[in-house]
Amino acid sequence: MSKKKNLKREAYAKKQEEQGKKVVNWIFGVLVVAALIYMIWTILL
């Protein structure tokens, strides 16, 4: 029973890690887009 529990725990940890990486990538992507928009805005002013 403990082996099953450990496998489930490891699978859950792996899933959480993958989701965390996706969130970090989205945050960096949004920051890059915001920086590009700001650069364009400052150039046009």
Side-chain angles (χ1 to χ4, degrees):
M1 185 133 150
S2 64
K3 285 184 181 182
K4 241 185 200 181
K5 200 172 198 178
N6 283 340
L7 288 175
K8 283 185 179 181
R9 187 177 294 164
E10 288 174 10
Y12 180 75
K14 185 177 179 183
K15 184 179 175 184
Q16 289 288 69
E17 182 180 352
E18 289 172 0
Q19 287 179 343
K21 286 180 182 180
K22 284 183 185 179
V23 170
V24 170
N25 287 338
W26 271 100
I27 291 171
F28 281 130
V30 168
L31 288 174
V32 168
V33 169
L36 290 172
I37 291 171
Y38 180 73
M39 284 175 26
I40 291 170
W41 181 64
T42 55
I43 290 171
L44 295 178
L45 285 182

